Amino acid sequence: MTWITFLWPMVTAACITMGLIHLWIGLRQTPGTAHKLFALAAFAVAVFSVLELAMIRADSPARFLELQRWIDFVAGALVASLAAFVWVYFGTGRKWLALLAVGVTCTPLILDLLPVPKLIFLQITAVRTVETFGGATYTVAEGIRNPWHAVFYMGVLLLVVFVADASVTLWRRGARRRAVRVGGSITFFLLVAGVQAALVDGGVINAPYIVSFCYLAILMAMGVELSDDLFRSVQLAQDLHESEMRMELAADAAGVGVWIWSIQDNRIWGSERWRRLFEFSPHETVTYEQAVGRIHPDDREPVERGLQRALAERTDYAEEFRVMTPDSSERWIGVRARLSAQANATPARMRMMGAAIDITARRQLEQRIEQQRNELAHLSRINMLSELSGSLAHELNQPLGIILSNAQAAQRLIVQEPPDLAEVRDILADIVSEDERAGEVIRRMRAMLKSGPFSLQPLAINETVEEVLRLVRSDLISNGIAVHVTCAASVPQVLGDPIQLQQVLLNLILNACDAMAANSLEGRHLSIATTHGKGCVRVSVADTGCGLPAEIERVFEPFHTTKKEGLGLGLSICRSIVSAHNGRLWAQARGATASGRGATFCLELPAMERPSGEGRVASDKS
């Protein structure tokens, strides 16, 4: 056995081994394109090595030409696979230059498709055996050479330029080791292999091709870098696993369940805490449909709509909803999530990562607080109606007295001969009208006294103001208070509880009346106005009373009062009611100072999207 019959098979075996290893990695890894291209290049080098050894042993011109044909095709495949590997692995380079290099290299191969290959030799006249050191021999061909084979090497030179340019760009981006180890090796050994093969094909030197050895060196450099990447990936995976364990431990200690939704696979990975929240077993595969199926039917549609909006707009997601457990009990869950994707990724390739926490205790506490607030507001309404008892009695006495007088007059008219039926009909109409008036007063009283759950519904704020003014009309007249009402036109509707909003306005009006009790009759003016803008509806109640304290916010503190018999809870309750409506309630001095010039209380609520169309501009003076 000579060194020739030892080295070339060794190169072939090494290339096949490396190709199989990286093909296996490429098939198991996602994405594994770089490893697959490496395997393709390694198998091409193995074939090239076999063909080189066969050419060394060729015993006829026809055999040499046939082997030359196949070795040219494999060389073209090598150039294409290297260009593709650099483009994919480096993630940089000029694509047009890579395509030009492959095109220029492969175009001359058309000559090898002829019945008699003509890329290197137009004609082979003879082959001869040359003996080298160690007693080894190799075959050399003699004949007429084709000058156009230089085009093939121009393509190889363009590939060298492409690799060098991509390596420089990679160096500038900071990946210097990869640029030197892979880019430098490919550039150097491509030049060596190209120059040696060009000299052999041109007849300048008589020697066997050593292209496979040069490519073996390139493969070794590529393999070392890919192996380092693989080791780094394994280490990163281990570090990531440890980080996930620490994160899961911290999240579990905080009562937070972590989850990741892979939209492409339609699967949800969840930590142990998350699975307990949704009642999934530890090793159960959870799909999106299964997770959504655990959500309460009344909350399911809003949750899915919010998720789709977050995907479409690529925004964070936050929601609170109920989960139905297998034993039919309810559990409140709060979820916060964020999308994880590249800027140009399609929605199908995105992932959503989030955290879930059990907020059942908090929601139950909120419900108890809301219930207590409603009860306190109800008691406050009863207290206010007790203050209005004289005014309400007057409101009822008026229609009842008129009804009594009309009924007595009707009795007298009926006994006359003949009875005045026309007059009786008019009297009965008056009785019906006054009865309806008394019934309306009683209806308003019953509504204010009624205790019920917090109920949001579309409201016209101007109508609410008018309703409250009708309720306190007699009280305002008896106290000699001049009322000025200015309601803006086309005020949008608001979403609120009608009774509780009436309670807020009633409290503000009664407080204004109390603040002006010490004024002379000419100095008692109450101004009520409604305005809208910037997505809000505002109601302002202004008086000319005693003013506000220096620290204005103190008036909203519980048990702070200026009344002799007041509890100091009215404004505090009003502010809590307005906050429950996602609105604001504040006070400001009407004049230049905070005392002696009156006060203005402002109630602001979010406007609904569709305007109600109601509203008027009015000025009423009582």
Side-chain angles (χ1 to χ4, degrees):
M1 177 182 291
T2 64
W3 60 272
I4 289 180
T5 56
F6 171 76
L7 289 181
W8 267 265
M10 183 189 68
V11 171
T12 302
C15 291
I16 292 175
T17 302
M18 288 190 293
L20 290 173
I21 292 173
H22 285 276
L23 179 62
W24 181 79
I25 295 173
L27 293 175
R28 292 180 61 88
Q29 194 178 56
T30 303
T33 309
H35 289 277
K36 293 174 184 175
L37 290 172
F38 177 92
L40 177 62
F43 293 145
V45 175
V47 174
F48 201 98
S49 177
V50 171
L51 293 174
E52 281 183 345
L53 182 60
M55 288 181 66
I56 290 173
R57 294 287 181 259
D59 54 1
S60 66
R63 175 66 174 165
F64 196 96
L65 272 178
E66 188 62 26
L67 292 171
Q68 184 74 62
R69 179 210 302 269
W70 290 110
I71 208 168
D72 291 342
F73 288 148
V74 175
L78 272 174
V79 169
S81 61
L82 278 179
F85 176 84
V86 172
W87 171 259
V88 171
Y89 190 56
F90 282 14
T92 184
R94 304 177 194 274
K95 189 175 183 179
W96 65 268
L97 186 57
L99 294 175
L100 181 63
V102 174
V104 172
T105 302
C106 295
T107 300
L109 297 180
I110 298 174
L111 296 174
D112 280 333
L113 297 175
L114 300 175
V116 178
K118 296 184 180 299
L119 177 58
I120 306 300
F121 288 94
L122 294 175
Q123 182 181 359
I124 294 181
T125 57
V127 293
R128 60 187 179 87
T129 301
V130 178
E131 185 175 352
T132 183
F133 61 90
T137 60
Y138 60 89
T139 299
V140 175
E142 297 178 351
I144 303 173
R145 302 180 185 274
N146 187 354
W148 287 101
H149 78 279
V151 176
F152 178 89
Y153 292 104
M154 287 179 59
V156 176
L157 184 60
L158 287 173
L159 177 62
V160 171
V161 174
F162 164 72
V163 175
D165 176 71
S167 301
V168 170
T169 304
L170 194 63
W171 173 282
R172 291 172 178 171
R173 292 183 178 179
R176 299 187 174 182
R177 188 182 65 181
R178 180 174 296 182
V180 172
R181 182 183 289 181
V182 179
S185 298
I186 293 176
T187 303
F188 175 76
F189 286 105
L190 266 180
L191 285 173
V192 172
V195 170
Q196 195 269 345
L199 292 176
V200 172
D201 290 341
V204 178
I205 59 174
N206 290 324
Y209 291 115
I210 59 169
V211 174
S212 57
F213 291 92
C214 295
Y215 274 99
L216 178 62
I218 293 174
L219 289 176
M220 290 177 65
M222 292 162 55
V224 168
E225 188 65 22
L226 285 173
S227 299
D228 285 350
D229 288 346
L230 192 60
F231 290 140
R232 284 194 295 270
S233 298
V234 172
Q235 184 62 44
L236 183 62
Q238 292 176 350
D239 295 342
L240 182 61
H241 179 65
E242 293 179 1
S243 177
E244 286 179 351
M245 290 180 63
R246 289 194 294 267
M247 182 187 69
E248 188 170 343
L249 180 62
D252 192 64
V256 177
V258 182
W259 56 275
I260 301 175
W261 175 26
S262 176
I263 300 172
Q264 187 174 15
D265 298 334
N266 197 38
R267 291 186 178 181
I268 297 178
W269 172 88
S271 64
E272 184 178 351
R273 168 74 66 170
W274 182 87
R275 290 176 176 272
R276 288 202 300 268
L277 290 177
F278 283 80
E279 298 290 341
F280 288 113
S281 61
H283 303 292
E284 182 179 357
T285 300
V286 182
T287 64
Y288 169 79
E289 288 78 13
Q290 288 175 316
V292 171
R294 295 290 169 91
I295 298 175
H296 192 282
D298 294 342
D299 299 340
R300 197 171 297 159
E301 183 179 351
V303 168
E304 291 194 277
R305 188 166 56 246
L307 285 171
Q308 294 305 320
R309 183 168 58 251
L311 290 177
E313 300 176 2
R314 304 194 179 193
T315 56
D316 292 348
Y317 174 74
E319 189 63 82
E320 294 180 357
F321 51 85
R322 290 165 293 174
V323 169
M324 297 295 297
T325 59
D327 59 358
S328 299
S329 62
E330 290 184 4
R331 177 183 294 142
W332 277 96
I333 303 293
V335 169
R336 301 292 183 273
R338 177 168 294 176
L339 285 172
S340 174
Q342 298 178 352
N344 58 348
T346 60
R349 298 186 65 84
M350 294 181 184
R351 291 196 310 166
M352 181 174 281
M353 297 181 290
I357 188 170
D358 190 341
I359 59 171
T360 305
R362 193 200 79 191
R363 296 289 294 204
Q364 291 174 346
L365 179 61
E366 288 176 352
Q367 290 173 359
R368 287 197 297 269
I369 292 174
E370 181 180 340
Q371 181 182 359
Q372 293 171 356
R373 185 184 66 236
N374 291 337
E375 292 173 354
L376 189 59
H378 179 232
L379 293 175
S380 178
R381 289 198 299 273
I382 295 175
N383 182 62
M384 283 190 296
L385 287 177
S386 69
E387 295 180 23
L388 291 172
S389 57
S391 176
L392 294 172
H394 177 71
E395 285 286 326
L396 286 174
N397 284 333
Q398 270 192 336
L400 291 176
I402 294 172
I403 290 172
L404 178 60
S405 299
N406 282 328
Q408 291 172 344
Q411 287 176 338
R412 290 193 297 270
L413 290 173
I414 290 175
V415 299
Q416 291 180 358
E417 290 293 339
D420 190 348
L421 297 180
E423 186 68 21
V424 171
R425 279 194 295 269
D426 292 340
I427 290 174
L428 291 177
D430 288 341
I431 291 175
V432 171
S433 176
E434 293 303 317
D435 179 82
E436 290 176 348
R437 177 183 169 188
E440 183 65 19
V441 173
I442 295 173
R443 184 195 65 79
R444 290 197 295 266
M445 289 179 60
R446 292 184 62 187
M448 293 294 289
L449 289 170
K450 184 180 179 181
S451 177
F454 185 71
S455 175
L456 294 177
Q457 55 185 276
L459 297 176
I461 201 67
N462 288 352
E463 293 179 1
T464 303
V465 170
E466 292 173 356
E467 184 86 5
V468 173
L469 286 175
R470 283 196 295 268
L471 192 63
V472 296
R473 177 175 173 273
S474 296
D475 205 53
L476 294 172
I477 293 174
S478 64
N479 286 285
I481 296 175
V483 182
H484 307 273
V485 182
T486 306
C487 295
S490 301
V491 177
Q493 288 184 321
V494 298
L495 201 61
D497 185 290
I499 302 302
Q500 292 198 2
L501 289 182
Q502 286 180 22
Q503 176 181 352
V504 172
L505 292 174
L506 184 59
N507 191 290
L508 297 179
I509 292 173
L510 293 180
N511 284 349
C513 293
D514 292 338
M516 295 184 290
N519 291 11
S520 63
L521 292 178
E522 295 78 10
R524 300 178 183 181
H525 293 274
L526 177 66
S527 300
I528 301 176
T530 61
T531 57
H532 63 92
K534 296 183 179 180
C536 292
V537 174
R538 181 181 297 181
V539 182
S540 58
V541 179
D543 62 64
T544 56
C546 59
L548 295 167
E551 298 179 6
I552 296 178
E553 280 297 306
R554 287 199 63 194
V555 300
F556 294 102
E557 294 179 0
F559 307 108
H560 175 82
T561 181
T562 57
K563 301 178 184 179
K564 291 182 180 181
E565 299 179 356
L567 295 176
L569 292 174
L571 288 176
S572 175
I573 294 172
C574 289
R575 176 167 275 188
S576 67
I577 290 174
V578 174
S579 297
H581 285 75
N582 297 318
R584 293 193 304 145
L585 176 63
W586 72 95
Q588 59 190 30
R590 191 173 184 182
T593 65
S595 63
R597 300 291 301 275
T600 301
F601 285 81
C602 298
L603 163 65
E604 193 172 77
L605 297 170
M608 295 181 66
E609 294 182 1
R610 295 181 60 185
S612 64
E614 58 85 22
R616 61 184 178 87
V617 178
S619 180
D620 181 26
K621 191 170 184 178
S622 300

